[in-house]
Amino acid sequence: MKVIIVGTAYPYRSKVSTFNHCLARQFMDEGNDVEIVTYKYQGMHENRLSGDSSPENLKITQMINSMNPVSWHKTANYIKDSLPDEVIFAYSNSKMAVCMGNIAHRLNKTSGIKRVAIVKDMIPEDANLLDRFLPYKFARNIDGFVYVNKGIAEDIEHFEKTPKPKKYSNLPISVPYGERIPREMAIEQLSLDPNYRYLLFFGYIRPYKGIDILLDAFSDERIRKYNVKLIIAGEFKDNIQPYIDKIRQSGINDYLEMRIEYISNMDVHKYFSAADMVVQTYKKPKESGVTRMAYHFEKPMLVTNVKKLADIVKNGVVGYVVEPNPKDIADAIVDFYENERRETFEKNVVVEKQKFSWGNLTKTIETLFN
């Protein structure tokens, strides 16, 4: 089968580029002829160029000017002349809608090409007027949708003229950070005390991520019984002083490992390998790559009951889904150590991880119209 993926790719550096490269490789591994058609000028999109060399064995053609309708016409003609069986549009925000919608429109049904959209978000949480208007052109020129965030099927339907086939697939894991190593090795390489167990809060630290709630939870005296420390690894993107004050007032400084810095890709696997459980105490619905990183490194998770986090963590199976308050978070930590849940949760994570495979996504695409 001939497959063309339309969307951001090398030489642009972004999560979408990484996603499209991985999707292309999966299709290739399954014996398909694959090409990515990407931008030569992105206009309103983020113009972050990759400093890496071109991905090996991927056919990437730069030809789309996101601001130039003539380019859209040429791109559609190029795709038609390539005679693909399927064109996959990697859609992530409304800034792409007009450009992609016009290309899809020119790949009309008379060409015999199936037009599939992979949608991460259709109407974002902080949607503006353009977010609620621009996707109409795109959605009405697509034959079927695969959405990788639960709860957005209705958002897609909002823009359709007539109902189209839709299927949900978990967003696959794409973690270019190496593999898990033995805990003892990670502890040594991070210069941690091997006599303690560790929980991990990882990533940029912002108010909505609820680190203040986690610090309050970690002040619970019951946790001291288990000789546990909390690793906070990542950069503060806001004023750090309120957190320093909270730590000082609660007297938990001796039970924290503060690695307040940018964590290089070469060190990410060490932090996850050292931890017993990954903790995300978000206050509002936000997608997080950290959850998928936890799956990749086969670590149990404690997340709060907010959309996009709770959707992919099975409570009591691979970890905990709790309300975003200190008591419920502390209760879960106590249960984890008191009842020795780590080994059971890790075994379950290995099983659940398979749902986040690239093969699962391509299978969903291939069966979309069945």
Side-chain angles (χ1 to χ4, degrees):
M1 185 170 70
K2 170 74 174 181
V3 178
I4 289 181
I5 299 169
V6 177
T8 307
Y10 181 88
Y12 294 104
R13 174 172 57 90
S14 70
K15 291 181 180 179
V16 181
S17 292
T18 301
F19 177 92
N20 288 336
H21 297 167
C22 291
L23 179 61
R25 292 190 189 283
Q26 179 63 37
F27 271 119
M28 290 168 62
D29 289 346
E30 294 171 1
N32 299 293
D33 181 9
V34 184
E35 178 179 0
I36 303 175
V37 176
T38 191
Y39 302 93
K40 62 180 180 182
Y41 175 70
Q42 285 193 291
M44 294 182 293
H45 308 294
E46 291 184 323
N47 289 312
R48 296 186 297 174
L49 294 176
S50 172
D52 299 330
S53 57
S54 178
E56 292 184 7
N57 303 321
L58 287 184
K59 184 178 181 182
I60 300 175
T61 303
Q62 279 186 271
M63 67 183 312
I64 306 171
N65 183 324
S66 67
M67 306 294 289
N68 188 343
V70 174
S71 165
W72 309 340
H73 182 75
K74 289 181 178 179
T75 300
N77 285 340
Y78 174 82
I79 293 173
K80 284 182 181 180
D81 291 343
S82 299
L83 301 176
D85 299 286
E86 208 160 63
V87 177
I88 298 172
F89 292 87
Y91 180 91
S92 60
N93 61 64
S94 64
K95 294 176 183 178
M96 300 179 177
V98 176
C99 171
M100 285 188 169
N102 275 275
I103 294 171
H105 176 69
R106 289 177 169 84
L107 302 176
N108 54 48
K109 292 183 179 180
T110 59
S111 67
I113 299 170
K114 290 293 186 183
R115 301 164 297 177
V116 177
I118 298 179
V119 181
K120 188 176 180 182
D121 268 317
M122 208 70 184
I123 303 176
E125 295 286 334
D126 54 351
N128 56 35
L129 182 61
L130 291 179
D131 291 326
R132 299 184 182 280
F133 174 74
L134 292 179
Y136 279 105
K137 178 72 173 181
F138 176 72
R140 294 182 180 190
N141 286 288
I142 293 296
D143 299 313
F145 297 86
V146 173
Y147 52 99
V148 292
N149 270 333
K150 287 184 177 179
I152 67 168
E154 291 183 1
D155 292 346
I156 297 171
E157 291 168 359
H158 172 77
F159 296 106
E160 292 178 311
K161 189 173 183 179
T162 56
K164 309 286 182 61
K166 299 177 195 66
K167 282 191 176 182
Y168 170 74
S169 176
N170 285 301
L171 182 64
I173 297 170
S174 176
V175 183
Y177 304 128
E179 300 299 325
R180 176 172 166 174
I181 60 176
R183 175 185 181 273
E184 294 75 17
M185 184 184 300
I187 293 289
E188 180 180 357
Q189 292 180 7
L190 293 173
S191 299
L192 297 171
D193 186 341
N195 294 313
Y196 283 89
R197 307 301 301 189
Y198 293 93
L199 300 175
L200 175 64
F201 182 99
F202 186 88
Y204 290 125
I205 300 168
R206 300 181 183 275
Y208 74 82
K209 292 189 177 182
I211 189 70
D212 55 335
I213 304 174
L214 179 55
L215 292 173
D216 286 339
F218 211 71
S219 300
D220 194 309
E221 285 297 323
R222 293 177 295 163
I223 298 175
R224 304 289 84 83
K225 173 183 175 182
Y226 306 104
N227 221 31
V228 181
K229 284 191 175 185
L230 171 65
I231 302 172
I232 300 176
E235 292 181 286
F236 274 87
K237 288 299 181 180
D238 298 280
N239 182 13
I240 191 175
Q241 194 57 46
Y243 301 101
I244 298 300
D245 293 341
K246 181 179 285 289
I247 292 169
R248 185 182 299 115
Q249 292 165 8
S250 60
I252 60 173
N253 188 63
D254 290 342
Y255 304 102
L256 301 179
E257 287 288 339
M258 303 288 284
R259 305 296 174 93
I260 309 304
E261 59 194 9
Y262 170 74
I263 308 299
S264 72
N265 289 356
M266 295 178 61
D267 289 330
V268 170
H269 71 291
K270 300 174 187 176
Y271 285 93
F272 281 83
S273 298
D276 294 332
M277 183 163 62
V278 177
V279 182
Q280 294 177 271
T281 50
Y282 286 21
K283 298 177 182 179
K284 60 172 66 173
K286 290 284 184 179
E287 185 193 5
S288 172
V290 175
T291 315
R292 288 177 174 80
M293 290 165 72
Y295 272 112
H296 173 74
F297 292 110
E298 299 174 353
K299 290 293 178 175
M301 290 151 273
L302 187 161
V303 304
T304 42
N305 189 21
V306 296
K307 289 181 180 179
K308 299 182 183 179
L309 281 182
D311 288 343
I312 62 173
V313 175
K314 283 189 175 181
N315 185 38
V317 178
V318 299
Y320 302 92
V321 178
V322 302
E323 294 306 312
N325 64 70
K327 183 181 183 305
D328 285 4
I329 294 167
D331 286 348
I333 294 171
V334 169
D335 178 81
F336 181 72
Y337 285 107
E338 180 67 25
N339 295 295
E340 300 180 348
R341 309 282 191 193
R342 182 179 60 82
E343 186 175 343
T344 299
F345 283 170
E346 283 191 358
K347 289 179 180 178
N348 293 338
V349 169
V350 172
V351 175
E352 285 293 304
K353 178 181 175 180
Q354 302 309 310
K355 296 180 181 179
F356 299 89
S357 70
W358 289 94
N360 187 60
L361 175 59
T362 55
K363 182 178 179 182
T364 302
I365 295 170
E366 290 166 3
T367 60
L368 180 58
F369 301 103
N370 293 351

